[in-house]
């Protein structure tokens, strides 16, 4: 097994744990409110947590492009995983009645920033993988979020029926920390540099000049109608999948339909299972990228995909692992 594929497997595990921890509070919110305070509202707890988390996630998305140009993918993924793992382990203490009212939102804000770096850093790992395993690595990364969400929705309700609500935070925290340590150790033993630079791009890369990034590039990308439509659909998918579906679906089934917490996974595990089923495409051929996007017909069915691919290729600076 090549180092690139090992890094991709660890990146998949990291992003899977990342998305599993995002599902924690929506699932355990009723148990938390029943334990810590009678006046606690599960819906309000989830709302406050989600608002703080996605505020941090938004910050991460604006800074991730610059970070992956300067910090190597394995190191960025490993160090950010360490950070959000520590924040996850601190959440049970922050939810206690004696804790500061600002403690939990602050931890969720920090978690949002660090968790938001997961996918950009994982795609940087994919970009650095050897060409013969890159498609497989991309399929693994694309399915990782669904894997984490699905397992969390299936396993955590079972744990809640037998143990306290704190255990899922500690179990996922320890698992995530193990993955982060493995990433750091492997990066150290394989002599992967912490920082990237102009020399990190192989001289035979035909697109090495396009990796400079900058605000001008963002505006240039947004001139493409299909890029704008992709951005709009990604926003809609994020609101529907992560905010409405991931955060409030457990509360809806418990409060409106009387579903037992132990049976919650049968109702909320379907959407991430569909994502896992559709994501892996280890042998799906990638279309060649033309020198100029405007050479494609304006309504070409693949133009949007190529524009999105060009965007990621421009943001990510490949280096050898």
């Amino acid at each position: 097994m090549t180092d690139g594929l090992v890094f991709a497997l660890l990146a998949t595990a990291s992003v899977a744990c990342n998305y599993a921890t995002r599902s924690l509070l929506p699932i355990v919110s009723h148990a938390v409110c029943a334990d810590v305070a009678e006046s606690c509202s599960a819906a309000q707890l989830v709302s406050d947590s989600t608002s703080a988390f996605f505020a941090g996630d938004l910050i991460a998305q604006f800074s991730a492009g610059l970070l992956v140009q300067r910090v190597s993918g394995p190191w960025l993924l490993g160090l950010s995983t360490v950070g959000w793992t520590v924040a996850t382990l601190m959440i049970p203490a922050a939810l206690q009645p004696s804790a500061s009212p600002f403690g939990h939102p602050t931890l969720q804000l920090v978690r949002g920033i660090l968790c938001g770096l997961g996918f950009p850093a994982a795609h940087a790992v994919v970009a650095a993988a050897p060409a013969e395993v890159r498609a497989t690595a991309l399929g693994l990364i694309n399915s990782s979020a669904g894997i984490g969400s699905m397992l969390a929705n299936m396993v955590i309700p079972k744990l809640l029926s037998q143990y306290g609500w704190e255990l899922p935070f500690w179990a996922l925290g320890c698992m995530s920390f193990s993955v982060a340590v493995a990433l750091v150790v492997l990066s150290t033993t394989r002599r992967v540099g912490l920082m990237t630079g102009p020399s990190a791009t192989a001289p035979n890369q035909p697109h090495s000049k396009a990796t400079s990034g900058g605000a001008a590039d963002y505006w240039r990308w947004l001139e493409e109608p299909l890029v704008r439509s992709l951005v709009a659909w990604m926003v809609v998918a994020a609101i529907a999948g992560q905010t409405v579906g991931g955060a409030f679906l457990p509360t809806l089934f418990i409060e409106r339909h009387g579903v037992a917490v132990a049976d919650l996974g049968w109702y909320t595990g379907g959407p991430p299972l569909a994502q896992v089923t559709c994501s892996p495409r280890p042998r799906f051929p990638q279309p060649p990228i033309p020198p100029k996007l405007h050479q494609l017909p304006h309504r070409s069915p693949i133009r949007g995909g190529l524009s999105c691919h060009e965007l990621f290729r421009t943001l990510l600076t490949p280096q050898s692992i």
Side-chain angles (χ1 to χ4, degrees):
M1 185 181 294
T2 64
D3 288 347
L5 190 55
V6 174
F7 274 109
L9 288 171
L10 288 175
T12 301
S14 173
V15 178
C17 290
N18 179 334
Y19 275 76
T21 61
R22 298 181 186 214
S23 303
L24 271 174
L25 200 63
I27 297 173
V28 306
S29 58
H30 288 81
V32 172
C33 286
D35 186 39
V36 301
E38 294 183 357
S39 59
C40 175
S41 166
Q44 187 63 44
L45 178 62
V46 172
S47 176
D48 294 343
S49 172
T50 304
S51 299
F53 181 91
F54 283 108
D57 187 53
L58 181 64
I59 295 172
Q61 300 315 308
F62 281 106
S63 59
L66 297 175
L67 281 174
V68 297
Q69 292 178 26
R70 290 163 174 78
V71 184
S72 64
W75 278 106
L76 181 60
L77 187 60
L79 295 178
S80 62
T81 303
V82 170
W84 62 254
T85 295
V86 172
T88 301
L89 290 170
M90 296 173 64
I91 286 180
L95 290 173
Q96 299 300 323
S98 57
S100 167
F102 301 104
H104 179 237
T106 302
L107 284 175
Q108 291 292 2
L109 178 68
V110 172
R111 270 179 33 82
I113 295 173
L114 296 175
C115 285
L117 298 176
F119 257 124
H123 279 286
V125 172
V126 171
E132 61 270 16
V133 300
R134 194 172 299 152
T136 301
L138 183 61
L140 290 170
I141 297 299
N142 286 344
S143 62
S144 57
I147 291 173
S149 299
M150 180 183 65
L151 292 178
N153 280 278
M154 296 299 294
V155 175
I156 292 174
K158 301 296 183 183
L159 292 178
L160 285 178
S161 63
Q162 302 181 36
Y163 306 98
W165 59 267
E166 298 94 341
L167 179 63
F169 288 94
W170 298 334
L172 275 174
C174 293
M175 188 184 305
S176 306
F177 190 78
S178 300
V179 174
V181 170
L183 276 167
V184 171
V185 170
L186 188 61
S187 300
T188 303
T189 56
R190 296 299 187 269
R191 301 182 182 277
V192 178
L194 174 63
M195 307 301 293
T196 61
S199 60
T201 304
N204 61 347
Q205 293 289 338
H207 57 277
S208 58
K209 293 181 180 180
T211 58
S212 57
D217 289 331
Y218 297 132
W219 289 113
R220 176 171 55 84
W221 295 330
L222 290 174
E223 290 176 0
E224 292 285 337
L226 285 174
V227 170
R228 294 198 297 270
S229 66
L230 283 171
V231 171
W233 278 112
M234 289 169 68
V235 171
V236 172
I239 294 174
Q242 296 187 30
T243 307
V244 178
F248 292 102
L249 202 59
T251 300
L252 174 68
F253 280 121
I254 292 174
E255 293 187 354
R256 295 291 181 89
H257 301 284
V259 175
V261 174
D263 299 326
L264 197 58
W266 297 107
Y267 297 87
T268 58
L273 175 60
Q275 180 183 352
V276 173
T277 304
C278 297
S279 291
R281 290 290 184 270
R283 299 191 182 279
F284 187 79
Q286 297 182 4
I289 299 178
K292 299 292 184 181
L293 287 175
H294 60 71
Q295 292 178 356
L296 288 173
H298 182 71
R299 297 187 181 276
S300 168
I302 63 172
R303 183 171 181 176
L306 294 179
S307 301
C308 188
H309 190 102
E310 177 72 10
L311 185 150
F312 278 100
R313 190 182 70 174
T314 304
L315 284 176
L316 304 179
T317 302
Q319 63 180 16
S320 177
I321 290 182

